[in-house]
Every structure is written in structure tokens, then in C-alpha cells.
Amino acid sequence: MTIPDMTSPDTAIRMTVVAVGPGDPDLLTIKGRQALEQADVVVGFQTVLDVVAGKTGAADIRPMAYRDQEAVLDFAQEQAQQGKSCVVCVWGDLNVSAKELLNRVRRRADTVELISGVSSIQIACSRAGISLEESVFITLHQRWDRGSELGELVELLNQGRRNVILLPRPYDFMPPAIAANAIADGAAPGQPVTVFQRLTLPDEQRWDGTLAQCAALPDEFSDLSIMVFPKPPEPDDA
Ligand SMILES: C[S@@+](CC[C@H](N)C(=O)[O-])C[C@H]1O[C@@H](n2cnc3c(N)ncnc32)[C@H](O)[C@@H]1O
């Protein structure tokens, strides 16, 4: 008797994740664009789908929100099971602060093709004139232990050996609150900080100042905000 191989190419569920970039539709990769053009079903949060509007061929487009993401991903899984080509879109790059969504897709598919994109942190590095290898990246998304996150930030700032690139948590822990808490935890009030908002979008903004100045700003930042804390210049940087 032949035992069927449940992961044979005929039965395996395949899904594709396309990282759409930081907002400017021109930063979608060619490979991502091809996957979208060939897709039967495309799902993603509405703001992410907006980036790829008009690039999805004849696909059935299903926007999702936090409250119904499991149901929309289940629908995509069912379609993939029937042999349809399903694409899940994620913001920026898929290896940057997108773990939860990636895991939700991985739980539903035997094979997940990952098509990388341009991350907002790469754009922040370009705008700030810093390199990733001299930086540490911290995301406050999906972490709820405020103390340990800020402890790590303050420790890195006080060491002064690396730039710190930090993603705030919309909207409960945004730049002014982060700055105030970092000072309370021992960071220098004069520490320089830059906040970028809506990078690569037509209304992109940049604010430069110190931690103390940032702490005093009105809490009116976009959910698309990134903080960059540059390390002190070294003598041979000049
Ligand atoms: C859940 S994370 C996803 C990051 C994404 N995977 C990436 O590579 O950019 C979303 C956060 O990324 C940052 N972000 C994403 N796009 C941005 C943009 N265009 N401008 C500024 N910040 C951005 C913001 O901190 C936002 O809250």
C-alpha cells in the first residue's frame, strides 16, 4: 500500500509574502510587482494595499484589519489550498518588525515564499546619514514591557558606541513619551534625536533636536514615525 505524502507538491499549501516598501509605490521591487500581477488573491492591511493599488492584475483583493485578520488569512489559506496564488502584503521589509504577521502566514502554509522589500529603517539611515552596521535597531511594536525596552535604549545611549534606530509604538508610546521616560531613566537631556515621519510619502517630515526638546513636543506624531539617536562623532568622522 502506498502511503500518501501529505506535503507532496500537489497538496502543499503555498503562500507568498510581498514586502511593499515604506510607502512610495516606486519602492516596490520588480519581483514583488510580478507576484502581485500574477496573484489570484491579495490580502493585507488597507494602508499596505493602498501602496500597491493598480498593481494587482485581476486579483481578488481582501483588506484586513486587526480584528478580522485571522478570518481574512483563513480565506487566503482556503484559496491557496484550492491551488490559487495568494499574496499577503506587508509594510516595508518583511524582516523588520513584521514577525507576528509572518508567523500567522507560516502557520497556514507549508511553503511561504518571501519577497523582501525596502524597509523604512533603510530610508531613515539614508536620511540621517548613518550606516546600519554602526547602529542598533529597537522596535517597541508588539512589546509591552516598557521598563526593559527603555532600559536597553538608555544603556545604548549612555554607551555612545552605536546609533540607535527606534520604532515607537502607535499611539500609546510615541516620541515625546519615549524621550521623557528615557530622561527619567538616566539618558542625557542634551542627547540629539531626529524624528522622521511618513518617510518617502509626499508629506514626509523631519524634526531635529534634543531629548529634552522632544519630551516637550505636542503628542501629534504619525503612526509612521521613526526616532534616530546618532552616536557621538568620533575624531576620524570629521
Ligand atoms: C509594524 S512596523 C513595520 C515596519 C516595516 N516592516 C518596515 O520595514 O518599515 C511599522 C512601524 O515602522 C515605522 N515605519 C514604517 N514605515 C514608515 C515610514 N514610511 N516613515 C516612518 N516610519 C515608518 C513606524 O515606526 C511604524 O509604526
Side-chain angles (χ1 to χ4, degrees):
M1 190 179 95
T2 315
I3 298 167
D5 175 6
M6 297 311 286
T7 58
S8 73
D10 294 331
T11 55
I13 300 177
R14 291 188 178 75
M15 290 169 86
T16 302
V17 178
V18 170
V20 307
D24 178 347
D26 285 350
L27 290 171
L28 173 66
T29 65
I30 293 170
K31 216 170 162 75
R33 194 171 175 150
Q34 285 167 347
L36 287 162
E37 277 164 2
Q38 290 157 14
D40 297 310
V41 178
V42 175
V43 306
F45 290 106
Q46 185 62 60
T47 44
V48 185
L49 295 179
D50 289 346
V51 176
V52 300
K55 297 186 165 78
T56 49
D60 179 359
I61 300 166
R62 299 285 174 122
M64 63 192 194
Y66 283 106
R67 65 178 185 287
D68 67 359
Q69 57 181 321
E70 294 288 345
V72 175
L73 290 169
D74 283 347
F75 169 79
Q77 182 193 33
E78 282 160 27
Q79 299 295 305
Q81 211 154 15
Q82 292 168 25
K84 301 264 177 66
S85 143
C86 290
V87 169
V88 179
C89 292
V90 307
W91 193 263
D93 182 39
L94 41 77
N95 296 120
V96 177
S97 201
K99 207 168 54 180
E100 283 192 0
L101 181 50
L102 272 194
N103 286 341
R104 285 191 163 91
V105 178
R106 284 191 173 115
R107 282 200 292 274
R108 288 173 167 85
D110 301 300
T111 309
V112 181
E113 185 189 2
L114 300 178
I115 301 183
S116 297
V118 177
S119 175
S120 58
I121 69 164
Q122 290 169 274
I123 306 294
C125 282
S126 305
R127 302 286 196 264
I130 61 172
S131 54
L132 212 45
E133 68 268 28
E134 292 183 318
S135 308
V136 175
F137 166 63
I138 300 176
T139 178
L140 302 188
H141 272 258
Q142 296 146 14
R143 289 213 253 162
W144 298 98
D145 180 2
R146 208 174 260 217
S148 67
E149 292 151 358
L150 276 189
E152 189 182 0
L153 172 66
V154 171
E155 202 180 307
L156 288 163
L157 294 181
N158 290 342
Q159 285 169 358
R161 287 203 296 266
R162 303 269 185 167
N163 310 298
V164 181
I165 304 163
L166 180 138
L167 303 192
R169 184 165 52 232
Y171 286 95
D172 69 326
F173 207 19
M174 294 301 277
I178 292 167
N181 280 272
I183 293 171
D185 286 0
Q191 162 74 47
V193 55
T194 300
V195 186
F196 295 103
Q197 294 183 77
R198 299 182 58 77
L199 286 162
T200 78
L201 290 156
D203 54 352
E204 175 175 331
Q205 283 182 49
R206 172 184 183 140
W207 177 90
D208 295 278
T210 63
L211 263 189
Q213 289 166 337
C214 185
L217 291 172
D219 214 351
E220 288 166 358
F221 286 87
S222 160
D223 60 332
L224 296 179
S225 294
I226 295 188
M227 300 175 83
V228 174
F229 304 85
K231 71 184 173 73
E234 287 165 18
D236 55 4
D237 283 348

